[in-house]
Structure formats: structure tokens, C-alpha cells
């Protein structure tokens, strides 16, 4: 039986762009370019490596987001994933991690899976809790923050590196896995891969397809909210210390006045 690998990916605003909030205090995604979250590229890479080691495997990439989120899926498909699932619905606007995890869990169950792989966090929200919540919703084990991962004989194994020690972890499939940016560089899509991605299937789903009510997601169903936001103040000119024999002392006094020392 084919090993079914589902990779959760996210379409995020480009971190080098001018990111800001919209009028409803959600992230403004219209005025900034988006892309596949860099941390999710590591998840795609590990999924492809696991598939290459398996006798028979299929890699599905899954995202929840607006129309433009298909760009993230196409990037993953051009890397080598087999097919994609895109959940898009106007009622998803403003959905937080709790609602997103619900949508992902329903879509994963509908798609079918043996192992779900995610990045360690998204590069916009950086919460890092979605894999754990997703595992809870699916009712399966979680093996998170792995820098090395493999699947063999119905078991996922991996190494989690901490500040003082490394742990060897394993869980029976089905399971949810998250990988860190130390798991191995993601491959670049080849020209052949980019062309092939255009012909790979992308299934579109809405909330009705997943039996999810609109009030369970979006701003109305969010467990978190942004109450206010302000633009970062413009940078001010720094303090120049001229060294005329007392430079070191002046510098120390300035640092002390700012409570740096």
C-alpha cells in the first residue's frame, strides 16, 4: 500500500516587503508579495526524501489561503510533490491557528494520510503550535521539532536537538511530524520540475466540502484578536561620540544611561 504523505504549507507575506495591517487589523496581503514559507520548504524536502526511500509513496501538499496561495502549492509541486489540495473560502478571512488547524484536520482526513509533515513554524505568525494542535484534532501521536526524520515499517523516527542534549523519538503511524530548519537544505525546483508542476492536479475545497460552519473560523471564530496596532516609529539619528581622549568614558556613560550596562 502506498505511503500517503501530506505536507502542510503556508503562503506568507514576503518578509523583505513592507508588511502592515489592514483596516480590520488582519495582515494586509494585498499590497505585499507572497511566497511559500521558507520553513515549510524544509517540510517539503523531508517529505520528498521519505518518499524516495519508500517502495511506494505519494506526497500531497495542502494549504489554506486565498487564491494567490496556489503559488505556494506550485512551488512545492515544482520541487517534486505529486499533487496539491487548496482550501479557499471567503469566510476564512481572519482565521487564527485554532480555526486553521480545524480546516487542515478536516482536509487531511478527507484526503487520507499516513504521516503529516509541517515546518517548525510559519514565518509570519511564528507561533509553532499548529502541528501539536493538529495532532490533537486528528487523535494521533506527534513527533515535533525534528532535525532528522525517517519512516520505516509503519514507524516514524527522528532526532530532536536541544540546547544540552539530543533525543531519539519515534511513533507509530499515522502521526504528525514537524521539522526544523536544521533538517537539510531544501532542493531548488529544476526547469523540468517547474514545467511538470503545471500539469499536476490541484484540488480546490471550500468549507462546505469539509462540513465546517462559517462561525467556526474567520474573525468571528478566532480565539485570538489584535486590539490595536501602530507603525514602528521612524529611526532617529544616533549619538556620535568623538574620541578626544575621553571617548571610552563617554561611551560607557551613554550605555549606562540607556541601561545597557
Amino acid at each position: 500500500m502506498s505511503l500517503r504523505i501530506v505536507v502542510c504549507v503556508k503562503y506568507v507575506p514576503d518578509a523583505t516587503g513592507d508588511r502592515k495591517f489592514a483596516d480590520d487589523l488582519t495582515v494586509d496581503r494585498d499590497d505585499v508579495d507572497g511566497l511559500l514559507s521558507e520553513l515549510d520548504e524544509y517540510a517539503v524536502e523531508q517529505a520528498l526524501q521519505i518518499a524516495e526511500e519508500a517502495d511506494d509513496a505519494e506526497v500531497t501538499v495542502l494549504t489554506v489561503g486565498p487564491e494567490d496561495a496556489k503559488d505556494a502549492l506550485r512551488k512545492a509541486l515544482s520541487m517534486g510533490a505529486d499533487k496539491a489540495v487548496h482550501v479557499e473560502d471567503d469566510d476564512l478571512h481572519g482565521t487564527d491557528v485554532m480555526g486553521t488547524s480545524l480546516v487542515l484536520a478536516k482536509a487531511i482526513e478527507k484526503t487520507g494520510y499516513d504521516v503529516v509533515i509541517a515546518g517548525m513554524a510559519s514565518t509570519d505568525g511564528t507561533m509553532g503550535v499548529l502541528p501539536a494542535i493538529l495532532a490533537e484534532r486528528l487523535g494521533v501521536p506527534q513527533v515535533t521539532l525534528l532535525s532528522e526524520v525517517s519512516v520505516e515499517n509503519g514507524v516514524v523516527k527522528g532526532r530532536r536537538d536541544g540546547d544540552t542534549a539530543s533525543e531519539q523519538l519515534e511513533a507509530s503511524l499515522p502521526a504528525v511530524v514537524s521539522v526544523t530548519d536544521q533538517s537539510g537544505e531544501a532542493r531548488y525546483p529544476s526547469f523540468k520540475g517547474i514545467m511538470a508542476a503545471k500539469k499536476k492536479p490541484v484540488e480546490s475545497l471550500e468549507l462546505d466540502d469539509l462540513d465546517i460552519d462559517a462561525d467556526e473560523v474567520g474573525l468571528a471564530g478566532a480565539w485570538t484578536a489584535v486590539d490595536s496596532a501602530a507603525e514602528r516609529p521612524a529611526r532617529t539619528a544616533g549619538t556620535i561620540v568623538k574620541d578626544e581622549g575621553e571617548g571610552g568614558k563617554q561611551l560607557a556613560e551613554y550605555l549606562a544611561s540607556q541601561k545597557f550596562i
Side-chain angles (χ1 to χ4, degrees), residues 25 44 94 97 107-110 146 152 159 170 180 187 195 206 213 229 234 240 244:
L25 295 180
V44 175
V97 67
I108 289 168
E109 289 174 338
K110 185 178 181 67
L146 300 182
E152 188 176 358
R159 188 185 76 243
E170 64 178 60
T180 72
R187 67 193 67 185
M195 297 305 294
E206 297 180 348
D213 294 331
I240 299 176
E244 297 177 351

Side-chain angles (χ1 to χ4, degrees), residues 125-136:
T126 64
M127 293 186 69
V129 297
L130 187 140
I133 300 173
L134 186 55
E136 179 68 17

Side-chain angles (χ1 to χ4, degrees), residues 26 28 33 44 65 75 90 132 147 183 190 217 223 241:
T26 60
D28 183 354
D33 292 334
V44 175
K75 172 69 177 293
D90 290 341
S147 54
S183 58
S190 63
V217 296
W223 291 33
V241 176

Side-chain angles (χ1 to χ4, degrees), residues 52-72:
E52 289 165 357
E53 291 296 322
D55 293 333
D56 184 17
E58 182 177 62
V59 177
T60 302
V61 285
L62 165 65
T63 196
V64 177
E67 172 67 23
D68 289 346
K70 282 188 172 67
D71 291 345

Side-chain angles (χ1 to χ4, degrees), residues 98-208:
M98 299 303 296
T100 300
S101 65
L102 172 63
V103 176
L104 287 173
K106 293 285 189 178
I108 289 168
E109 289 174 338
K110 185 178 181 67
T111 302
Y113 72 102
D114 295 301
V115 58
V116 179
I117 304 180
M120 61 189 291
S122 64
T123 54
D124 55 352
T126 64
M127 293 186 69
V129 297
L130 187 140
I133 300 173
L134 186 55
E136 179 68 17
R137 288 196 183 278
L138 293 172
V140 300
Q142 56 171 304
V143 188
T144 56
L145 300 176
L146 300 182
S147 54
E148 183 179 278
V149 61
S150 63
V151 175
E152 188 176 358
N153 298 324
V155 176
V156 57
K157 299 180 180 180
R159 188 185 76 243
R160 178 191 292 159
D161 296 324
D163 293 335
T164 58
S166 294
E167 303 172 279
Q168 295 291 335
L169 307 171
E170 64 178 60
S172 298
L173 299 183
V176 173
V177 172
S178 71
V179 298
T180 72
D181 54 356
Q182 301 301 308
S183 58
E185 284 297 321
R187 67 193 67 185
Y188 289 104
S190 63
F191 178 75
K192 181 179 179 181
I194 294 172
M195 297 305 294
K198 297 179 180 181
K199 299 180 180 180
K200 293 179 179 178
V202 178
E203 181 182 8
S204 296
L205 298 174
E206 297 180 348
L207 292 179
D208 286 345

